[in-house]
Amino acid sequence: MKKLLASTCLMLGLIAGASTSSAAECGTVTIASMNWQSAEVLSNLDKFILNESYGCSAEITIGDTVPTITSMAEKGQPDIAPEAWIDLLPDVVKKGQDDGRIITVGSPLPDGGVQGWWIPQYLADAHPDIKTIGDALKHPELFPASEDPSKGAILNGPQGWGGTVVTTQLFSAFDGEKAGFTLVDTGSAAGLDGAIAKAYERKEGLLTYYWSPTALLGKYKMVKLDPGVPHDAAEWKRCNTVADCPDPKPNAWPVDTIVTLVAKPFSERVGPEVMDYLTKRSWSNETVSQLMAWMTDNQASGEEGAKRFLEENEDMWSKWVSPEAAEKIKAAL
C-alpha cells in the first residue's frame, strides 16, 4: 500500500511538474493589437486562449502596422502580431525573415483584405445581370445621385485615403462620366458609412467604394463587383494609385495579404501546441465582419467580442486547439 501511495504521489508530482514546465516555457507573451476592430478582437482572442489553455501570461500591447512590424523585424518584439497586413512593408518583413527574427505562421484572414466597388445584395438579387463594374455602369438609373437623379452616383471615400485615389482613377479609367455617372465625395469615414447605411435601410440603389472585413459589411450584406480585368501590378503602381496620373487603365484591386507574424525567439521558446494553435487559428471575412457588427451595435470591447465569439462558435474554434485545451476554454467562459 505504501508503495502504491508513493507511486501515485510520484505520478501526480510529474503531471504537476509537466504543467508547470509548460507554463514556464510559454511565460510572458506580448501580443500586438493594431488600432482597428478586427485586430483588436483577434488579439484579445489570442490572449484568452493562450492564458487559459496553455498557461501563458499574455498581455496586449497597443500598436500600429508600421511600428509594430518594424520592431518585430529589428528587435524581435512584440512576440505576436495576430493580424499583420504585410503588403504595406514587404522589404521590412523580408529582412526580418532573412535575419531570423520573425516568421509567418498562417493567415488569420485567408480571404485577405478585399477592396473594390460594391452593390447591395438586394440589388444584385433583383438584377442578376449586374456582375461587373462594366455591367453597373450601363445602368445609371439604378444608382441615382441625390443631387441630380438624372445621373448615377458612385460613393467615394474621404480625401487622404488610398482607396479614394484609386476609386477616382478607376472612375476615369472606366469612363464613368461618359456612362452618365458622377463621383460623390462623402467627406469622411462617417459620411461614407452614413450614406451607405441610409441607402441600404431605404433599399435604394447604391454603388460604393468599400472594403472587407468591416463591421458595416457585417451588418449590411453587399456584393463586390468584378472589375472585369485581371490585376496588373505594374499599371497599379504606375498610375492607378497616383492621383495626378493622366491616363489610368481599368484594373483590379489586389487582395491584401494578411498573416500572423511571430518573433523567432518566441516560436523556439514555446511548446508546439502554441504554434499549432497560431497556425490553425483563422476565420472568414464574413465571420469577423458579423462579429464586428455586433461589437459596434453593442459598443463592445475587443475582450467582450472575443468571449462572444468563443461562446457562440465552439464548432469553429475547437478545431484550432486540442480537446484538453478546448475543455479549459469552456470552463473559463
Side-chain angles (χ1 to χ4, degrees), residues 274-294:
V274 171
M275 295 305 297
D276 188 53
Y277 158 70
L278 292 172
T279 300
K280 290 180 178 178
R281 181 263 290 119
S282 69
W283 46 19
S284 67
N285 283 5
E286 183 178 7
T287 296
V288 71
S289 289
Q290 290 175 352
L291 179 59
M292 288 191 289
W294 175 86

Side-chain angles (χ1 to χ4, degrees), residues 4-329:
L4 180 60
L5 287 172
S7 299
T8 302
C9 290
L10 177 60
M11 184 177 295
L12 290 173
L14 289 172
I15 292 172
S19 176
T20 303
S21 173
S22 176
E25 286 176 4
C26 186
T28 300
V29 183
T30 50
I31 303 174
S33 178
M34 309 301 188
N35 61 353
W36 59 88
Q37 206 173 28
S38 60
E40 179 192 1
V41 70
L42 182 59
S43 62
N44 276 276
L45 181 67
D46 285 349
K47 176 184 175 181
F48 187 94
I49 289 178
L50 292 180
N51 285 350
E52 300 299 338
S53 300
Y54 300 108
C56 302
S57 179
E59 293 295 338
I60 289 174
T61 178
I62 305 301
D64 207 343
T65 299
V66 174
T68 296
I69 293 179
T70 301
S71 177
M72 291 184 74
E74 294 179 354
K75 304 174 184 177
Q77 278 292 325
D79 295 311
I80 307 170
E83 188 181 309
W85 295 55
I86 59 173
D87 291 341
L88 296 169
L89 294 165
D91 295 337
V92 174
V93 172
K94 185 178 186 305
K95 187 174 189 309
Q97 291 173 319
D98 292 345
D99 291 346
R101 290 195 177 93
I102 54 174
I103 60 172
T104 62
V105 290
S107 173
L109 287 164
D111 294 340
V114 181
Q115 298 184 77
W117 292 4
W118 306 69
I119 62 174
Q121 181 71 60
Y122 56 78
L123 196 145
D125 292 341
H127 300 275
D129 56 313
I130 298 180
K131 298 185 182 300
T132 69
I133 289 176
D135 295 335
L137 292 179
K138 294 175 184 176
H139 297 282
E141 75 281 357
L142 295 178
F143 312 97
S146 58
E147 295 186 3
D148 185 358
S150 68
K151 294 184 178 181
I154 300 172
L155 303 186
N156 205 354
Q159 298 303 312
W161 284 10
T164 300
V165 172
V166 173
T167 291
T168 302
Q169 291 295 74
L170 290 182
F171 181 78
S172 175
F174 282 102
D175 289 324
E177 187 173 351
K178 185 177 180 180
F181 280 77
T182 183
L183 196 58
V184 177
D185 183 350
T186 53
S188 65
L192 176 60
D193 287 1
I196 293 172
K198 180 180 178 181
Y200 205 103
E201 296 289 353
R202 295 179 177 182
K203 293 295 184 285
E204 295 174 344
L206 172 65
L207 175 54
T208 184
Y209 162 75
Y210 217 72
W211 68 98
S212 174
T214 49
L216 186 131
L217 292 192
K219 184 173 184 178
Y220 300 118
K221 195 165 181 60
M222 305 276 281
V223 176
K224 188 172 81 71
L225 294 176
D226 188 323
V229 293
H231 175 64
D232 184 331
E235 188 62 27
W236 186 264
K237 182 177 181 180
R238 181 193 76 84
C239 195
N240 295 117
T241 56
V242 179
D244 58 357
C245 181
D247 60 336
K249 307 291 191 298
N251 210 337
W253 254 280
V255 176
D256 289 308
T257 305
I258 305 170
V259 302
T260 293
L261 281 181
V262 173
K264 188 73 177 292
F266 171 79
S267 71
E268 295 172 341
R269 185 182 84 231
V270 298
E273 298 87 355
V274 171
M275 295 305 297
D276 188 53
Y277 158 70
L278 292 172
T279 300
K280 290 180 178 178
R281 181 263 290 119
S282 69
W283 46 19
S284 67
N285 283 5
E286 183 178 7
T287 296
V288 71
S289 289
Q290 290 175 352
L291 179 59
M292 288 191 289
W294 175 86
M295 290 170 62
T296 299
D297 288 345
N298 292 276
Q299 297 183 327
S301 65
E303 182 178 1
E304 291 166 332
K307 287 185 178 179
R308 179 178 174 84
F309 170 79
L310 291 170
E311 290 167 350
E312 298 197 343
N313 296 276
E314 182 181 339
D315 60 329
M316 188 184 302
W317 61 257
S318 61
K319 296 184 177 77
W320 306 340
V321 299
S322 67
E324 295 79 12
E327 289 303 317
K328 291 178 182 178
I329 293 169

